[in-house]
Amino acid sequence: SQQGEEDPQALSIQEGENATMNCSYKTSINNLQWYRQNSGRGLVHLILIRSNEREKHSGRLRVTLDTSKKSSSLLITASRAADTASYFCATNSGYSTLTFGKGTMLLVSP
Amino acid sequence: GAVVSQHPSWVICKSGTSVKIECRSLDFQATTMFWYRQFPKQSLMLMATSNEGSKATYEQGVEKDKFLINHASLTLSTLTVTSAHPEDSSFYICSAGGGREVGLTEAFFGQGTRLTVV
């Protein structure tokens, strides 16, 4: 069964704006990962945040994790048209097994 | 990062035929590979976990005889869709992890294979 639930399901913004996507999960985790998928393509790993971390940055990406609420957020600052893609959170509860959420489709208009 | 190559990228086959999809880890040894299936605009659903040299572990609801998985070496896993039907049309993605050169908690994905059964 799916672990993560992202919201919103779809997000449409203008270039330069920030995009925030949220993910909620149900069981305890070792870490939570965010992936990006361009239409009809494979997944690209963006960032991993461990269960004992609360916030992590990578370039224009900022991820937070609240294990008490079992939720995470992905913030993309100063969005670009090239950021248009689907974004998935995935939880890892051991080894390399990942459980994916339903994803958020992000559309960034020029 | 580590590279996982999946082949073919897309395939069209006739109903009743079998299709083999390959997943290779190019620059690391993957003791474990994962096969996912993704329907349009939906999430990835784990189908099975394959470990080198042993039988694959299938998720509930996935037919073992329908989706044959072979993980004969540390760099290659194959998924064969047997007697394919139109409802098997989907996007299949593999990922690899668990090798000594790769962190146990990060997975690397192939490009995916778009299967269309006509």
Side-chain angles (χ1 to χ4, degrees), chain B residues 19-109:
Chain B
V19 174
K20 180 185 282 189
I21 302 169
E22 294 186 348
C23 181
R24 294 181 184 272
S25 56
L26 298 186
D27 50 4
F28 67 100
Q29 294 182 327
T31 54
T32 305
M33 288 188 176
F34 304 87
W35 288 95
Y36 295 86
R37 181 174 183 176
Q38 185 181 32
F39 290 105
K41 297 185 180 180
Q42 294 193 27
S43 186
L44 282 74
M45 299 301 295
L46 180 65
M47 298 175 65
T49 302
S50 74
N51 296 295
E52 186 266 339
S54 63
K55 290 184 178 180
T57 303
Y58 290 81
E59 295 298 301
Q60 193 172 8
V62 178
E63 299 177 57
K64 300 179 184 180
D65 296 331
K66 176 90 177 155
F67 299 99
L68 300 179
I69 291 173
N70 183 280
H71 194 158
S73 76
L74 286 170
T75 59
L76 174 65
S77 176
T78 60
L79 167 67
T80 301
V81 183
T82 62
S83 187
H85 291 284
E87 56 265 31
D88 297 326
S89 299
S90 188
F91 193 58
Y92 294 87
I93 308 177
C94 70
S95 75
R100 284 180 294 179
E101 296 85 357
V102 179
L104 290 177
T105 54
E106 184 173 2
F108 298 92
F109 286 83

Side-chain angles (χ1 to χ4, degrees), chain A residues 3-102:
Chain A
Q3 164 84 300
E5 293 278 341
E6 289 96 333
D7 84 275
Q9 290 187 330
L11 180 61
S12 182
I13 59 175
Q14 299 288 320
E15 260 191 330
E17 294 180 337
N18 296 341
T20 300
M21 290 162 266
N22 302 297
C23 168
S24 60
Y25 57 93
K26 297 175 184 175
T27 63
S28 61
I29 61 172
N30 287 346
N31 64 70
L32 185 145
Q33 305 178 29
W34 284 91
Y35 287 83
R36 167 195 168 124
Q37 183 182 36
N38 285 58
S39 180
R41 306 289 290 274
L43 274 72
V44 175
H45 180 263
L46 295 176
I47 198 164
L48 181 155
I49 186 165
R50 302 190 190 285
S51 60
N52 61 352
E53 298 175 312
R54 293 295 168 258
E55 187 171 313
K56 206 161 182 180
H57 297 256
S58 176
R60 292 183 296 114
L61 305 180
R62 173 177 167 254
V63 168
T64 63
L65 178 65
D66 187 335
T67 52
S68 66
K69 295 181 179 178
K70 291 187 168 58
S71 67
S72 173
S73 68
L74 170 67
L75 167 68
I76 304 175
T77 59
S79 64
R80 305 166 182 168
D83 294 329
T84 294
S86 290
Y87 292 82
F88 294 90
C89 70
T91 53
N92 172 267
S93 300
Y95 204 48
S96 296
T97 303
L98 293 174
T99 305
F100 285 84
K102 295 180 180 178

